[in-house]
Amino acid sequence: MDGHRENDLSGPRRGKIAELAGAYAAALLSADEIAADIAIREAMDAGLTTAEIDEELIAPALWLVGKLWERGKISVAEEHLATEISLRVLALQREAQRVAESRGSHRILLATPLGELHVVALRMVSNLLRGGGYDVLMLGADVPPHALGFAARHHEVEVICLSSTMPGQAGRVLNSVDEVRRQWPSAAFVIGGQALSFESQARAQVRVCARVSEALDAVDAMVKGADVN
């Protein structure tokens, strides 16, 4: 079994774990809580399990801190600070994983409306939502309203993200929203791009994003609103 585990941690993965372990240990020794948190979040983004993070990053770093204290290389205050930082980081890690796991039960559909062929921003949003833990379905570009509505109903999605970068396309965006609501009334919408209007922003269960970086928070808000209702 030990040999199997060693094989699992070989090559690039082993190198990445060693890099993150070094970064985490350095953060503790410099009493840098932000750097420690970043190292753990990078480990989570790299796909390390909770057990791997605990056993390969946090435990070895604390062992090193303990050894340095025993040898008189660091003070007891520094050893206590490293322990407290690790406890706070562990709490943040558990909360981040809890949020990611809860997001995984929510399905999000991404598309551009009929006539819109630009999908770069939509791909960025897809990566952001997947990284956040959501179950993401990408329909891609130029999706007719009836096809969007059918997909929303068939896959029972909770939120639909629409992107339209071409000015003057607000009508098509709203047509898509109306058709989805005809077929699947419970869907909420997050809309981004230039094809926005005061009318679209005023509609219920529609949230407008000016930037890709706002998409995760916007989807979170719509999902929480649906959960409350």
Side-chain angles (χ1 to χ4, degrees):
M1 181 170 295
D2 290 341
H4 177 70
R5 178 172 175 76
E6 183 63 30
N7 290 335
D8 288 344
L9 297 179
S10 63
R13 185 174 178 82
R14 179 73 265 177
K16 184 63 176 179
I17 290 175
E19 175 190 340
L20 293 169
Y24 186 75
L28 290 191
L29 292 173
S30 61
D32 190 338
E33 185 172 350
I34 293 176
D37 182 46
I38 289 173
I40 297 302
R41 291 184 183 276
E42 288 184 355
M44 294 173 64
D45 291 342
L48 271 67
T49 65
T50 299
E52 286 175 329
I53 292 173
D54 291 347
E55 296 172 8
E56 304 288 341
L57 273 67
I58 297 175
L62 289 174
W63 179 87
L64 174 62
V65 168
K67 283 296 182 182
L68 292 175
W69 171 70
E70 288 178 2
R71 296 170 184 170
K73 300 294 185 180
I74 62 174
S75 69
V76 66
E78 290 172 302
E79 187 271 338
H80 284 178
L81 183 56
T83 300
E84 287 300 315
I85 288 175
S86 290
L87 290 173
R88 288 194 291 271
V89 167
L90 278 169
L92 290 172
Q93 174 198 0
R94 298 297 189 266
E95 176 61 16
Q97 288 175 330
R98 184 196 66 77
V99 170
E101 289 170 0
S102 68
R103 285 172 174 162
S105 63
H106 301 284
R107 182 165 292 170
I108 314 300
L109 186 67
L110 279 69
T112 72
L114 185 67
E116 175 61 68
L117 301 177
H118 299 88
V119 294
V120 174
L122 200 66
R123 294 290 180 188
M124 293 179 182
V125 171
S126 174
N127 291 339
L128 191 65
L129 297 180
R130 289 182 195 276
Y134 278 111
D135 179 9
V136 175
L137 297 177
M138 169 66 79
L139 290 188
D142 194 25
V143 181
H146 68 276
L148 185 64
F150 173 82
R153 184 180 76 251
H154 179 72
H155 295 289
E156 299 183 345
V157 301
E158 293 184 48
V159 179
I160 297 173
C161 295
L162 294 174
S163 174
S164 189
T165 61
M166 299 168 60
Q169 298 295 313
R172 290 185 175 181
V173 173
L174 294 177
N175 286 342
S176 294
V177 170
D178 292 340
E179 177 60 23
V180 170
R181 285 189 166 158
R182 188 183 69 80
Q183 297 192 45
W184 188 244
S186 63
F189 295 83
V190 172
I191 303 173
Q194 298 298 316
L196 308 177
S197 67
F198 288 112
E199 183 183 357
S200 63
Q201 297 182 59
R203 293 198 173 192
Q205 286 295 90
V206 173
R207 182 154 177 163
V208 173
C209 279
R211 300 179 180 85
V212 169
S213 59
E214 298 173 357
L216 184 58
D217 287 341
V219 171
D220 280 344
M222 302 310 273
V223 166
K224 288 176 183 176
D227 287 344
V228 169
N229 295 332

